[in-house]
């Protein structure tokens, strides 16, 4: 670990790992893993787990594996498996050649199951899932032993072999560990370790008719890979005694499971199952909808991977459930975008401006600063001529006292260009403003004047003949309640969807160089917000801009 890192106060997981390393446990080695189930796309919660597992490996000079937990062929797809790898690379992490599947270990897991049977520690049970549930008891009452619990080893071996060969239909038999039906921990009440599933597996094809349970696969996979610290979320705390029991009773390398609180974000659902529903019910436009908290959605929205890593670091790890404010995420995003994103000019609600004293056939370019935070980013030429557009928001015919933007007779600066004064307001028959006639001061090029006169307002603009029309998609929160799960009786989280989470602006205008920025890379439209080009075109063929995030940082204000 670098000195700088050592100086930071360590969280409870890192403290524990440091102690283990210093005491020479596992020969001082640290090995972690990220174990997603390929049954959906990764979301921000996974990013927290990724940053933690890969981050710890880096900090302690260890390794972090990627392992797909592919034990349930019913819900898993290769599409998901590929997206998981793509997202991880995008987030900035590398598992080198350590890409594993729980299914790589099916043979070994099967022989360990046989080992347990031979030791009298597992039995084939004929109870249905309903019967098993009825036998299980609850937190107050102990469970009842299965009538099949005392089957002889030979019979168990034979039945388990028949299960493997596919001789029984799904759900008719299971293999259960023989632990303790009266244990206060329900997970130790003879848990199922193998179930019959007649389903092809993406990796192992039709080889297996039986599949290990999560509990039987997970810890043993950790063990096989020499994982030292198996970090998982709090809901697995009650599984730890089973994790330990299995490692001990199989007599294999025993990783330490440590639980931490999952990431919860307000105004957001953080569960693949719920996200799948949003996708399947057409509430959003796919897993990569820019409103989704999936990494694919966030990338399309213009999030940088750095901002997500920073967010995960700021959130830290805790032992208790908590809810993080979405403003913190947006703050991390704005902070990074402010440093790295190019600036451009654009208007979302264009209002025509004609400069009456500007020569008819003249056009020129002015130099605009690419990024005031980055001196190396230089400037770019932006076209300027007699016909321009400004944003309708930046003009008021009859302004209040402290309004410094455009109004009749008030001089303002057109950013990077000239001082202009509105001399006439043109309206249509209904009284709507259709155009502003302005005069400019030819001496004020670049923003200063000969007499040192100052103006209070500076506004953005685009040149009419070269501006690029585009569709702009403004996103708001997907849910309008801080806790989307909180619903009236009989309702569900979809009741809290925000009907106004997407607003489309059809006729925005941006300076021509915007179209040179690559898809998904966020830039700032000065004074408007951060945006990025979408991979899709609009229905009318125009380019689409996604608003990544608005300018105002409410989190920084409150938490100064
Ligand atoms: P979901 O509830 O969304 O289906 P999951 O936990 O079932 O998530 P997995 O693919 O099993 O998803 O998760 C892979 C890893 O990511 C696990 O170690 C899990 O604990 C972790 N993880 C999942 N969600 C979160 C979260 N919200 N915060 C932190 N870690 C998470
Ligand atoms: Mg899961």
């Amino acid at each position: 670990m670098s000195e700088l890192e050592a100086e930071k106060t360590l969280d409870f997981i890192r403290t524990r790992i440091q102690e283990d390393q210093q005491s020479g446990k596992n020969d001082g080695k640290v090995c972690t893993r990220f174990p997603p189930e390929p049954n959906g796309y990764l979301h921000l919660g996974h990013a927290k787990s990724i940053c933690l597992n890969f981050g710890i490996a880096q900090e302690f000079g260890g390794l972090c594996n990627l392992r797909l937990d592919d034990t349930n062929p019913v819900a898993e797809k290769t599409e998901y498996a590929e997206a998981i790898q793509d997202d991880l690379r995008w987030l900035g992490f590398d598992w080198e050649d350590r890409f594993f599947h729980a299914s790589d270990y099916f043979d070994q897991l099967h022989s360990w199951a046989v080992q347990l049977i031979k030791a009298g520690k597992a039995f084939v049970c004929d109870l249905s899932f309903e019967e098993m549930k009825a036998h299980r008891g609850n937190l107050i009452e102990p469970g009842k032993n299965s009538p099949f619990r005392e089957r002889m080893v030979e019979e168990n071996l034979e039945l388990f072999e028949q299960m493997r060969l596919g001789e029984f239909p799904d759900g008719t038999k299971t293999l259960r560990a023989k632990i303790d039906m009266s244990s206060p921990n329900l997970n130790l009440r003879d848990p199922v370790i193998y179930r019959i599933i007649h389903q092809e597996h993406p990796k192992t094809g039709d080889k297996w008719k039986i599949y290990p349970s999560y509990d039987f696969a997970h810890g043993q996979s950790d063990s096989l890979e020499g994982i030292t610290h198996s970090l998982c979320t709090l809901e697995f705390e009650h599984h730890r005694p089973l994790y330990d029991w299995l490692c001990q009773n199989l007599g294999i390398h025993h990783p330490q499971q440590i639980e931490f609180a999952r990431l919860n974000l307000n105004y957001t659902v953080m569960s693949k199952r719920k996200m799948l529903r949003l996708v399947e019910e057409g509430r959003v436009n796919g897993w990569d909808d820019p409103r989704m908290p999936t990494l694919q959605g966030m990338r399309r929205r213009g999030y940088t991977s750095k901002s997500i890593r920073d967010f995960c670091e700021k959130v830290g790890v805790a032992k208790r459930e908590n809810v993080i404010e979405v403003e913190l995420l947006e703050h991390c995003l704005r902070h990074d975008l402010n440093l790295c994103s190019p600036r451009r000019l654009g208007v979302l609600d264009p209002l025509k401006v004609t400069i009456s004293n500007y020569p008819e056939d003249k056009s020129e370019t002015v130099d605009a600063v690419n990024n005031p935070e980055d001196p190396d980013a230089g400037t770019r030429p932006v076209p300027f001529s007699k016909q321009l557009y400004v944003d309708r928001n930046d003009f008021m015919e009859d302004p209040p006292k402290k309004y410094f933007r455009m109004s009749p007779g008030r001089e303002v600066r057109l950013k990077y260009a000239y001082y202009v004064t509105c001399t006439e307001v043109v309206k249509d028959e209904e009284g709507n403003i259709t155009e502003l006639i302005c005069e400019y001061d030819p001496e004020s090029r670049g923003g200063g004047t000969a007499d040192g006169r100052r103006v209070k307002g500076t506004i953005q603009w685009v040149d009419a003949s070269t501006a690029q029309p585009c569709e702009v998609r403004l996103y708001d929160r997907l849910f309008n309640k801080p806790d989307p799960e909180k619903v009236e009786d009989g309702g569900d989280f979809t009741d809290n969807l925000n009907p106004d989470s997407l607003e489309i602006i059809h006729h925005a205008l941006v300076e021509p160089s915007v179209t040179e920025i690559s898809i998904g890379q966020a830039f700032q439209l000065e004074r408007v917000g951060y945006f990025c080009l979408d991979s899709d075109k609009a229905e009318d063929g125009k380019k689409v801009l996604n608003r990544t995030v608005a300018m105002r940082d409410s989190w920084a204000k409150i938490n100064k």
Side-chain angles (χ1 to χ4, degrees), residues 33-37 39 43 45-46 48-49 69 231-233 235-236 260-264 270-273:
R33 84 286 170 267
F34 175 62
E37 190 181 346
N39 62 350
H43 52 62
H46 294 116
K48 172 170 168 170
S49 174
D69 171 24
L231 313 179
C232 63
T233 36
E235 69 269 27
F236 293 104
F260 62 94
R262 41 194 309 126
L263 171 67
N264 302 302
M270 203 71 87
S271 138
K272 279 184 282 194
R273 200 167 41 80

Side-chain angles (χ1 to χ4, degrees), residues 528-548:
V528 186
Y530 294 97
F531 296 82
C532 70
L533 272 175
D534 193 67
S535 45
D536 271 359
K537 288 261 164 65
E539 268 172 28
D540 59 7
K542 281 209 278 283
K543 301 224 174 192
V544 172
L545 294 188
N546 293 319
R547 181 168 71 188
T548 308

Side-chain angles (χ1 to χ4, degrees), residues 15 29 143 164 189 225 282 309 316 336 347 368 375 381 399 490 498 500:
T15 305
K29 283 204 202 83
R164 186 181 73 81
R189 293 188 186 171
E225 290 174 19
R309 292 195 304 270
D336 189 41
V347 293
N498 173 9
D500 303 317

